[in-house]
Amino acid sequence: MTPFEMNNQTDVTEFIFLGFSNHPNLQGLFFLVFLVIYLTTLLGNMLIITATKISPALHTPMYYFLSNLSFLDICYTSTTIPALLINFFRKKKTISYEGCLSQIFFLVTCAGTEGVLLAAMAYDRYVAICHPLQYPVLMSVNVCVSLVTGSWLCGLVNSVTHTVLATALSLCGPNQISHFLCDIPLLLELACSDTSLNESVLHVASATIGLSPCLFTAVSYILIISAILRIPSAQGRNKAFSTCASHLTVVVVFYGTANLNYDRPRGGYSLDMDILVSVLFCVVTPMLNPIIYSLRNKEVKGTLRKLARECGLSSEIND
């Protein structure tokens, strides 16, 4: 596009989401489904955070990471679902240019941070199972805080880089996004300026923030499983595996849905299929994380039962 043609275009000030708009008669049903998912996500993750705070038995590195993961999942879903719920009542589902950039910033921050945090949690399980005698030193309070802080910094640096580069894009229209949220690849499709720098940075980030934590987690679990298989008793093997089963399940769900969302070919898929895959990654996964940890972890289940009994007792006293 020549400079003259670009100047003849109208600058984009808002975007129109096309996601879910091809089912106008189901907007009320979609609203109820996503509202239930959002409330379940908030409740489940807040219960995990509360449980790890009030129970001395959960004041360990593993549950410190878990509480941070729950906080991250609350931030993740709150970036997209509230705006989505509002748009279900709008005939024209829009978001401002500034709102789109803000959504990208928080979405990329949370996604990047979660990948690195899951790798930190894998390292915690590796040290606990492969080097149990050194665990108090290798996973001290300072180390845990540094790992969580580093996870957030990785996510923030990655997000700031992409967001700043996105502000330099010339967006001359059309302003329609075939989705229900803003994301870097979707914005690049609407740009009428050169996107080679954005795409290069996106590939580098995919390797550093996406692939590297995934490989680190995979190697950690190869070492963990090999160490578990060397335990002579079946009871010992079951006990060791039970300490990392929940995290392994969360890792498989996260990277499985992320791979479907970002690494599959864009062509040949309907809008409904694109939406479904993104819903699995951005909406369903944060809801499943506290459920997985609650169902597969005895300490968390015990604390939640105790919390439920205390809440029931306090309500009876108030009555």
Side-chain angles (χ1 to χ4, degrees), residues 104-148:
I104 287 175
F105 172 78
F106 289 109
L107 192 68
V108 175
T109 297
C110 292
T113 302
E114 183 156 346
V116 180
L117 183 61
L118 288 174
M121 296 173 75
Y123 173 71
D124 169 69
R125 293 298 84 208
Y126 163 76
V127 174
I129 292 174
C130 300
H131 303 283
L133 297 179
Q134 297 174 281
Y135 186 79
V137 176
L138 294 177
M139 295 305 298
S140 64
V141 174
N142 290 335
V143 171
C144 293
V145 172
S146 298
L147 288 172
V148 170

Side-chain angles (χ1 to χ4, degrees), residues 57-256:
L58 302 183
H59 292 172
T60 62
M62 182 173 72
Y63 297 108
Y64 172 70
F65 290 127
L66 177 57
S67 63
N68 278 275
L69 179 65
S70 292
F71 175 73
L72 187 59
D73 283 336
I74 290 174
C75 296
Y76 201 6
T77 52
S78 297
T79 300
T80 55
I81 296 186
L84 176 62
L85 292 174
I86 293 173
N87 276 333
F88 281 132
F89 292 103
R90 293 177 174 174
K91 187 174 181 180
K92 187 179 180 183
K93 308 178 190 304
T94 61
I95 187 172
S96 66
Y97 172 77
E98 294 78 11
C100 185
L101 288 179
S102 298
Q103 194 174 74
I104 287 175
F105 172 78
F106 289 109
L107 192 68
V108 175
T109 297
C110 292
T113 302
E114 183 156 346
V116 180
L117 183 61
L118 288 174
M121 296 173 75
Y123 173 71
D124 169 69
R125 293 298 84 208
Y126 163 76
V127 174
I129 292 174
C130 300
H131 303 283
L133 297 179
Q134 297 174 281
Y135 186 79
V137 176
L138 294 177
M139 295 305 298
S140 64
V141 174
N142 290 335
V143 171
C144 293
V145 172
S146 298
L147 288 172
V148 170
T149 303
S151 300
W152 278 101
L153 284 176
C154 287
L156 283 169
V157 170
N158 180 48
S159 182
V160 167
T161 303
H162 286 302
T163 307
V164 170
L165 289 175
T167 60
L169 292 173
S170 296
L171 303 171
C172 314
N175 65 336
Q176 295 180 336
I177 297 178
S178 298
H179 221 290
F180 66 89
L181 52 78
C182 289
D183 203 356
I184 295 295
L186 299 171
L187 206 61
L188 295 182
E189 293 177 1
L190 303 181
C192 54
S193 58
D194 182 30
T195 61
S196 58
L197 178 59
N198 303 72
E199 292 172 358
S200 298
V201 172
L202 194 60
H203 291 315
V204 172
S206 298
T208 54
I209 302 296
L211 184 60
S212 296
C214 181
L215 291 176
F216 181 87
T217 303
V219 171
S220 297
Y221 270 102
I222 290 173
L223 297 174
I224 288 170
I225 292 172
S226 64
I228 291 175
L229 293 176
R230 290 196 299 268
I231 297 175
S233 67
Q235 184 179 0
R237 289 193 296 269
N238 292 335
K239 184 177 180 182
F241 185 73
S242 66
T243 63
C244 57
S246 297
H247 177 254
L248 181 58
T249 305
V250 168
V251 166
V252 171
V253 170
F254 177 79
Y255 282 110

